[in-house]
């Protein structure tokens, strides 16, 4: 395997793990479960007032980690699929 392919694999693994880890750490840091009322940090939504296609994915992953699958799907339909895709990506890239 060439050096470039190894670097790309490493970037893919780091990216997938970041997608899984960042919402988890936000969940740990949030006090009093204020995730539902927290302000969105989406630049598109801040500028236009309209949600972008990715809005809600972080909240969806947080509720997925908490085991509230209905709320996870309510915030973003692809939240649970994002977790599944990230885990499969890490497994494929490691092997």
């Amino acid at each position: 395997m060439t050096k470039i392919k190894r670097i790309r694999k490493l970037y893919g693994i780091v990216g997938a793990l970041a997608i899984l880890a960042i919402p988890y750490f936000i969940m740990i840091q949030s006090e009093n479960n204020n995730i539902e009322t927290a302000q969105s940090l989406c630049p598109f939504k801040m500028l236009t007032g309209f949600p972008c296609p990715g809005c809600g994915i972080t909240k969806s992953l947080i509720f997925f980690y908490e085991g509230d699958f209905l709320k996870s799907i309510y915030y973003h339909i692809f939240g649970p699929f994002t977790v599944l895709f990230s885990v499969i990506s890490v497994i494929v890239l490691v092997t």
Side-chain angles (χ1 to χ4, degrees), residues 18-68:
I19 288 171
L20 294 172
I22 291 170
Y24 180 76
F25 289 123
I26 291 172
M27 178 186 72
I28 290 173
Q29 293 295 324
S30 74
E31 296 177 12
N32 303 327
N33 290 331
N34 63 350
I35 292 298
E36 291 185 75
T37 59
Q39 175 65 32
S40 175
L41 299 176
C42 175
F44 183 82
K45 188 173 183 178
M46 292 168 115
L47 289 173
T48 65
F50 297 108
C52 75
C55 277
I57 197 83
T58 303
K59 289 181 183 181
S60 177
L61 293 178
I62 289 170
F63 286 115
F64 181 85
Y65 291 152
E66 291 177 348
D68 195 344

Side-chain angles (χ1 to χ4, degrees), residues 1 3 9 15 18 20 27 29 41 48 50 58 67-68 77 81 83 91 93 95:
M1 183 180 322
K3 184 178 180 179
K9 271 188 158 188
L20 294 172
M27 178 186 72
Q29 293 295 324
L41 299 176
T48 65
F50 297 108
T58 303
D68 195 344
I77 190 76
F81 297 111
V83 173
I91 292 169
L93 290 172
T95 58

